[in-house]
Amino acid sequence: MTLAAFWLGGEAALIAIAILMPAAFAMAGLYIRRARLDGLQRDPVSELPFRPEIIARTDDLLADGPTQSGMMASLALAIDEFSDLELQFGHTAASDILHTVAGRLRSVIRSSDLLGRLDGPRFIVVLTAATRADLESLIQMSVRLQHAVQEPIALDGTRIYVTSSIGFCTPKRRPGQSGAMLIEAAEQALDDAVSHGNGAIRAFSPDIQKRARSRGALSDQLPNALENDQIKPWFQPQISATTGEITGFEVLARWEHPESGLVPPSEFLTAAEELGLLERLGEVMLYKSLNALRAWDAEDILVPKISLNFSAEELRNPSIVDKIRWELDRFDIPPMRVSVEVLETVIAQSSSDTIIRNLRLLADLGFMIDLDDFGTGHASIANIKRFSVGRIKIDRSFVTQIDTDMEQQNIVSAILILAKRLELQTLAEGVETPAEHAILRQLGCDHLQGYGIARPMPFEQVAPWVKEHTAALLHRARSENQVESSHPAESLPLTGKTA
């Protein structure tokens, strides 16, 4: 504009425009707003602005009028199981993951959109002028963000796969006309997504807001829930990698809240630990699981074994072995039908003689000791023998993309070779696709568990699932026998005459 003024009116016009334009901008407050954006305090790890600055910038944009406000949406993203990644690879690697994810998110959004860092492994995206910000377009945007995040991350010669969960808020469902409310709505939707498992996407709704408000009261209700039959065991199948036959079920705690619905353990286990209720929770799970096992036996439902998770706090109890043995005698169930699952981090970090003693006693009685999340806690071979481990559960982070990533295959293959040399059984967690199943079977894994086989289910659904799964195996075996019988020459050994 100043150059045009000079061409049209000479020096006088140039000087007038050069003075009047900045004065008009200053009166409109544009310099103050720009300074606020340029002066954002940034997170040194992700190089992104923090929550207060993103809220302030969002408030500025909302103040521009109903046209701008009506096109703004928010998406909150969280890296799944980030604490496990930090334990497995260290704090420095975790920071590198955050930095890489931030860069990938920045490459997906437009330059006019806002990107910031929330608490922990969480990020916020504010779409400032979306031509379409309806449910469908935001789901598509969420999928694009997830695809950008899940590309392998190279750290010290190792490729790491991460997944993410996303919650978003559309302009029509925004609970209020402020940046804080827009961002909080996306976070509440994200909390709901996280509660439904890795990689979930959820949209904000009044129901989610209601559940978020009631979540704070769950801690106060937890003691009564334990005593009033609200917290129950759910069961996730484990099968043989080679035959597909059922080899057991892992027991997982679920809170069936009368008002809030199903509450996942991620929302109440921390509260149970803070309230000192982990031991009581373990007692409830043990009793109800053994009761379920006896009921299945009475109905001739094939459930060979159940696996129960025990915390370090429970295993430090000197009387835990007597309690477990007494419950087994009560239900007349032999110890070999129960596996005791212990996190690898417990074994890697524990020097408690009581824990060592209890696990050895349980192993001597015939219990299988499972080392859960193997590969995340850096347990030594000496500790594996020291704690009488009989089976290792390969963490899902090593199973993800094993059908397409040769490095993942090499890692799992090395684990399986180690287990074979140590005469340990193996179980792969997080199996989600037939291709992953096939590769693990080829590599020699003994057992499989994951959503690709079945999700955790309540007691009432176990018997129908077992019958359906058994029938499917029988049908497949008959089909294979028919194929073999129709080609008898292929199934007979070659003699000199036939050759």
Side-chain angles (χ1 to χ4, degrees), residues 19 31 44 62 112 182 186 221 223 235 238 252 262 280 306 312 335 347 472:
I19 293 174
Y31 287 139
L62 288 170
S112 59
L182 180 63
Q221 303 173 30
F235 304 88
Q238 300 166 342
L252 303 164
L262 190 65
R280 176 56 183 157
I306 57 173
I347 287 182

Side-chain angles (χ1 to χ4, degrees), residues 372-385:
D372 199 7
D373 293 346
F374 183 78
T376 64
H378 309 293
S380 66
I381 296 176
N383 272 345
I384 291 177
K385 288 299 184 182

Side-chain angles (χ1 to χ4, degrees), residues 239-244 399 401-404 409 412-413 416 428 430-449 452-453 476:
I239 66 171
S240 167
T242 54
T243 66
V399 174
Q401 304 288 339
I402 192 173
D403 55 315
T404 58
Q409 293 183 27
V412 173
S413 179
L416 295 174
V431 180
E432 297 187 355
T433 66
E436 292 173 350
H437 183 156
I439 290 296
L440 289 164
R441 181 180 64 239
Q442 292 174 14
L443 293 177
C445 187
D446 298 317
H447 309 273
L448 306 175
Q449 177 180 343
I453 298 160
R476 187 178 69 183

Side-chain angles (χ1 to χ4, degrees), residues 104-125:
R104 291 178 177 178
L105 296 178
R106 190 183 292 109
S107 68
V108 173
I109 64 175
R110 302 165 303 176
S111 59
S112 59
D113 297 328
L114 304 179
L115 175 62
R117 170 89 184 272
L118 300 177
D119 306 321
R122 295 189 168 202
F123 302 86
I124 185 71
V125 175

